Amino acid sequence: MASSYASTAIFLTLALLIVHMEAKAIDEMSPSFYATSCPKLFPTVKPIVESAIKKEARMGASLLRLFYHDCFVNGCDASLLLDDAPNFIGEKNIPPNKNSTRGYEVIDEIKSAVEKMCPGIVSCADIIAIVARDSVSILGGPSWGVQLGRRDARATNAIVTNVSIPLPKANLKELVLRFRGIALKRRDLVALVGAHTLGEAQCHSFRERIYNESNMNKELAQKRRLKCPRSKGSGDANLAPIDAQTPIVFDNSYYKNLVQNKGLLHSDQQLFSGGKTDPIVRTYSEDQEAFFNDFASAMIKMGSVNPLIGPAGEIRLNCRRINPII
């Protein structure tokens, strides 16, 4: 119990610090940050994202997810993109990310194109943020003015990666705590998890739910069991769409599924399980515009979490490694 209180206190303290940093960031960041220094940034990025999604529709969800997993660990600073090195431990191979996050090659392609046009100007952290917005809008979701001006981290944090990123088996209390840890409120949580209207999940992340949870739609559970065996270690990486209705369209079907107990992940259904988030889920299930508006707003808030701005950090020349000290 003491450790639980300690964890809560740590997350609340971090949240207060982040609120202060977020206010400062909003003052220094702007959608027009590169208007003069790299005016063709947006039209350079979007076609590459469109091409990647055209090749593999699932890639839109993967690129969006990179933004979440980056921002939840010490803020949106592109630390997630750094590869392991002999004297450097990155975040890619830490459990919440290992064999899970993907799309790094698309970011590499975009960074290369941007560097040719505007060398040493645009951060990898800002590229992730732009790509997340473009992925959503390309797949039918809302668009928003991305706050820009972040710089890239020169370090990673494996410990924070392990404790900060919400897990598929999290209960509602744990979800609220994780999001509160980066100064996001309950409504932000419900809106942002709506990103699960896109993409797929691996069998090991929903096996417990489809075999053992009573609030799972029986027909859907039976369907998912066909490709997700009960035995651990068998078919663990087999994929299933998180939103069985429209897995490659950004819409409000995810919430309609939750109301029918068709949430694939335990953490998904926790948003509609008799708790304080139920009314928000129901609102989004009935009003897609309300979801889109709140999602865009929450993405801007998450993107302002503890960014490196001003003289902090660096503008990486290669998103996979820190710049050499000259």
Side-chain angles (χ1 to χ4, degrees):
M1 183 66 73
S3 62
S4 176
Y5 286 134
S7 297
T8 301
I10 290 171
F11 276 109
L12 290 176
T13 300
L14 287 172
L16 290 173
L17 291 171
I18 288 170
V19 167
H20 173 73
M21 295 296 292
E22 182 181 316
K24 182 180 179 182
I26 291 173
D27 288 340
E28 298 192 27
M29 295 167 65
S30 166
S32 60
F33 187 85
Y34 297 109
T36 301
S37 59
C38 194
K40 295 183 180 179
L41 173 61
F42 294 145
T44 298
V45 172
K46 191 167 185 177
I48 298 176
V49 178
E50 288 175 326
S51 177
I53 292 175
K54 186 175 182 179
K55 290 177 183 176
E56 182 192 7
R58 179 188 172 206
M59 186 55 69
S62 299
L63 294 173
L64 175 58
R65 193 159 178 255
L66 289 179
F67 185 60
Y68 282 62
H69 281 229
D70 185 42
C71 292
F72 264 88
V73 181
N74 289 350
C76 313
D77 59 7
S79 59
L80 173 62
L81 303 182
L82 291 168
D83 285 340
D84 289 348
N87 59 344
F88 190 92
I89 299 176
E91 297 169 10
K92 290 179 179 178
N93 291 312
I94 304 302
N97 296 324
K98 187 176 182 179
N99 299 321
S100 178
T101 52
R102 56 198 294 275
Y104 299 110
E105 295 79 7
V106 178
I107 301 297
D108 291 340
E109 183 181 353
I110 292 170
K111 178 62 173 175
S112 178
V114 171
E115 280 298 307
K116 289 177 182 177
M117 180 176 59
C118 311
I121 298 295
V122 182
S123 69
C124 299
D126 278 344
I127 287 175
I128 297 175
I130 296 168
V131 166
R133 186 270 312 275
D134 286 352
S135 296
V136 170
S137 63
I138 289 168
L139 292 171
S143 186
W144 58 91
V146 179
Q147 295 290 320
L148 301 171
R150 304 169 189 80
R151 290 169 67 83
D152 299 322
R154 290 184 55 84
T156 60
N157 196 320
I159 295 175
V160 175
T161 301
N162 252 327
V163 301
S164 295
I165 297 174
L167 300 177
K169 297 179 181 179
N171 61 36
L172 182 57
K173 182 179 180 180
E174 290 169 334
L175 290 171
V176 170
L177 183 62
R178 294 291 183 269
F179 277 76
R180 187 183 297 169
I182 58 170
L184 294 172
K185 298 179 180 179
R186 190 177 290 115
R187 195 173 191 90
D188 299 320
L189 154 65
V190 180
L192 288 170
V193 178
H196 281 177
T197 187
L198 300 175
E200 299 175 314
Q202 296 181 36
C203 167
H204 69 83
S205 67
F206 59 83
R207 175 181 284 122
E208 183 73 17
R209 174 150 170 75
I210 63 174
Y211 283 102
N212 298 322
E213 295 190 12
S214 60
N215 66 340
M216 175 74 181
N217 178 276
K218 292 182 179 179
E219 183 179 345
L220 181 60
Q222 189 61 42
K223 184 177 181 180
R224 292 292 166 255
R225 290 172 187 171
L226 296 175
K227 293 187 177 180
C228 184
R230 182 187 291 270
S231 301
K232 184 177 180 180
S234 178
D236 284 3
N238 290 351
L239 297 171
I242 302 176
D243 170 6
Q245 307 304 314
T246 55
I248 57 173
V249 177
F250 194 97
D251 58 17
N252 67 336
S253 291
Y254 169 78
Y255 301 103
K256 294 178 181 179
N257 293 336
L258 296 186
V259 172
Q260 301 174 62
N261 285 337
K262 292 182 178 180
L264 182 63
L265 305 177
H266 176 78
S267 57
D268 288 331
Q269 197 59 54
Q270 283 288 292
L271 299 181
F272 194 81
S273 57
K276 292 183 179 180
T277 53
D278 281 18
I280 307 173
V281 170
R282 192 171 292 281
T283 294
Y284 292 162
S285 73
E286 298 171 350
D287 188 344
Q288 181 166 281
E289 185 176 357
F291 164 47
F292 279 11
N293 289 338
D294 286 354
F295 181 84
S297 176
M299 285 292 283
I300 292 172
K301 288 176 67 175
M302 184 166 68
S304 300
V305 170
N306 199 26
L308 296 174
I309 50 180
E314 66 180 12
I315 304 297
R316 268 182 237 147
L317 302 180
N318 181 325
C319 291
R320 292 176 178 266
R321 56 177 179 265
I322 59 175
N323 295 337
I325 298 176
I326 301 175

